[in-house]
Amino acid sequence: MKRYLPEGFLLSTIFLLIFFLFSLKTAIMPFFIGSAIAYLSYPLFNLFRKLTKNRINISAILTLFSIFLVLIIVLFIVLPTVISQVQSFIKFLPELTKKLDAFTYKFVGEHLLKKLHFDTSTLQTLVRSAYIQLGSLPVGDIVQRFFSGVFSVFTLFINVVIVPLITYYFLVNAGKIRDIYLKITPISIREELKSLLEKVHESLSSYLIGQLAVATFVGFYIALGLYFVGIKYSFLIGFVAGVLNMIPYVGFFSGLIPSILLAIFDNGQLTYVIGVLIVFLTEVGIENLIYPVVMSKTTGINPLLILLSIFVGGYYGGFLGIIIAVPVAVMIVPIFESFLEKRESL
């Protein structure tokens, strides 16, 4: 069993961190957010280190400033546009369902929606209710909801002020933190654990940064493509497709299906349908070209494993569980592969 000690030690560390995250959620959340931001922005931090000739403090400040600019763009440009299109889409729903019903009557010979006792106003109410729960409020309130977990002034202060400081600390001291972790491990497994830790880091960083890059590309490409084709709610569709792109097949179909429906029932011409198909087919082609490049260091995560981890994470941990489910699975894969390699070498 000693030969599996590095794998067991690292796996125990991961589960211990998850336990603390959920048991001390309010207290640990700023540290979790700060460490996550630092980890995702570490390649940018390294870039600034090269540009500033390894001036760590200046590089960390420039990284935080870049994150702040991105956050401003998202909160005050991207988000208001998406919110505006969501509100417009809710108003458009009854008209869209009526057109769908007329289409089914024309080709099937009966009103399927009436036969199924489908009430368009009920659908509109459900969508509006879900939208309100997700934060369909003015931008200022959305900013407050984003930064304040329990809607208190103290927590808002903690998250706005402390999170950047924690992010700065993790950026500057990432190497020291790793060295401290290795020093508390038994000497006999230290070198092997260091190698395994590097594999986990390569897998996780490649996956997260790769997924972020691909999701950003997918969102912008679909939004701009549909906009030039002339499809309504193009930015909303692109935003949803980009966010859901990390779930295999869900991102693609969550964008394609509403786009086709809008092209048929709103625009009403075959050229718009062809335009939509061109946008999504070219997006798939380009994504297949760039995906192997940005994900080159990833050990290869099975789509079924991603789906399973999301469902399990959501069941046991709610929304937070969904967020950390895939990264945890990505970290466990190289540990499990190391275990199998040792087992097969016996």
Side-chain angles (χ1 to χ4, degrees):
M1 292 298 293
K2 287 185 178 180
R3 63 187 287 116
Y4 304 120
L5 192 57
E7 290 78 11
F9 194 90
L10 187 53
L11 202 59
S12 299
T13 303
I14 293 172
F15 287 125
L16 188 63
L17 289 174
I18 294 172
F19 170 77
F20 281 126
L21 176 61
F22 282 98
S23 58
L24 302 171
K25 189 182 299 183
T26 305
I28 287 183
M29 190 55 67
F31 293 90
F32 170 73
I33 296 173
S35 62
I37 293 173
Y39 192 83
L40 287 171
S41 60
Y42 205 77
L44 181 62
F45 172 69
N46 281 332
L47 175 62
F48 283 129
R49 284 180 62 180
K50 292 178 181 178
L51 295 175
T52 59
K53 297 181 180 179
N54 207 31
R55 295 177 181 175
I56 295 177
N57 293 328
I58 295 176
S59 300
I61 292 171
L62 289 173
T63 303
L64 287 173
F65 182 71
S66 301
I67 295 170
F68 178 74
L69 286 180
V70 171
L71 197 59
I72 291 297
I73 293 171
V74 171
L75 290 177
F76 295 99
I77 298 178
V78 177
L79 211 55
T81 303
V82 172
I83 290 171
S84 174
Q85 293 206 351
V86 170
Q87 293 171 335
S88 177
F89 177 71
I90 290 173
K91 294 177 181 178
F92 180 69
L93 263 177
E95 182 182 346
L96 180 63
T97 51
K98 286 178 182 178
K99 289 180 178 180
L100 178 60
D101 185 52
F103 179 82
T104 57
Y105 180 77
K106 180 178 179 180
F107 289 94
V108 182
E110 56 182 326
H111 294 282
L112 292 181
L113 297 183
K114 290 182 179 179
K115 187 176 181 179
L116 296 171
H117 303 289
F118 184 85
D119 188 0
T120 57
S121 61
T122 302
L123 175 63
Q124 190 179 27
T125 303
L126 288 172
V127 173
R128 184 181 287 112
S129 176
Y131 171 57
I132 290 173
Q133 290 181 10
L134 288 173
S136 60
L137 300 169
V139 172
D141 194 51
I142 288 174
V143 173
Q144 184 186 16
R145 283 175 177 265
F146 180 81
F147 284 111
S148 179
V150 293
F151 304 100
S152 66
V153 175
F154 178 73
T155 304
L156 181 61
F157 171 80
I158 289 292
N159 289 334
V160 171
V161 177
I162 301 300
V163 168
L165 292 177
I166 293 172
T167 304
Y168 175 86
Y169 176 83
F170 275 108
L171 286 171
V172 172
N173 297 284
K176 294 179 182 179
I177 294 171
R178 184 200 61 185
D179 292 339
I180 291 172
Y181 173 71
L182 290 172
K183 285 180 180 179
I184 64 173
T185 62
I187 297 176
S188 59
I189 67 167
R190 194 168 293 173
E191 286 301 318
E192 193 176 348
L193 182 62
K194 183 179 179 180
S195 177
L196 182 60
L197 195 62
E198 191 63 31
K199 290 180 182 178
V200 171
H201 165 65
E202 286 183 0
S203 177
L204 181 61
S205 62
S206 177
Y207 182 83
L208 291 179
I209 296 169
Q211 282 289 358
L212 188 62
V214 172
T216 303
F217 162 75
V218 169
F220 276 105
Y221 187 88
I222 290 176
L224 292 174
L226 294 179
Y227 174 79
F228 287 117
V229 170
I231 302 298
K232 274 185 178 179
Y233 317 116
S234 57
F235 291 101
L236 173 61
I237 294 172
F239 180 81
V240 172
V243 171
L244 296 179
N245 190 68
M246 65 168 286
I247 307 175
Y249 314 115
V250 174
F252 176 79
F253 288 106
S254 66
L256 177 63
I257 293 173
S259 299
I260 291 292
L261 289 175
L262 287 169
I264 295 173
F265 299 114
D266 182 52
N267 301 94
Q269 294 181 19
L270 181 62
T271 53
Y272 289 97
V273 177
I274 295 172
V276 168
L277 291 175
I278 290 173
V279 169
F280 280 89
L281 290 177
T282 53
E283 181 275 316
V284 169
I286 297 172
E287 185 179 349
N288 286 334
L289 289 175
I290 66 173
Y291 193 86
V293 176
V294 298
M295 307 291 280
S296 59
K297 294 181 181 178
T298 307
T299 53
I301 309 301
N302 192 295
L304 287 177
L305 177 61
I306 294 176
L307 290 173
L308 178 63
S309 62
I310 290 172
F311 282 120
V312 172
Y315 180 80
Y316 287 104
F319 183 68
L320 181 59
I322 293 174
I323 291 176
I324 69 169
V326 177
V328 169
V330 172
M331 286 190 289
I332 291 175
V333 166
I335 299 174
F336 184 68
E337 287 179 343
S338 177
F339 173 82
L340 289 180
E341 287 175 3
K342 289 182 178 180
R343 189 177 179 86
E344 290 174 359
S345 65
L346 290 174

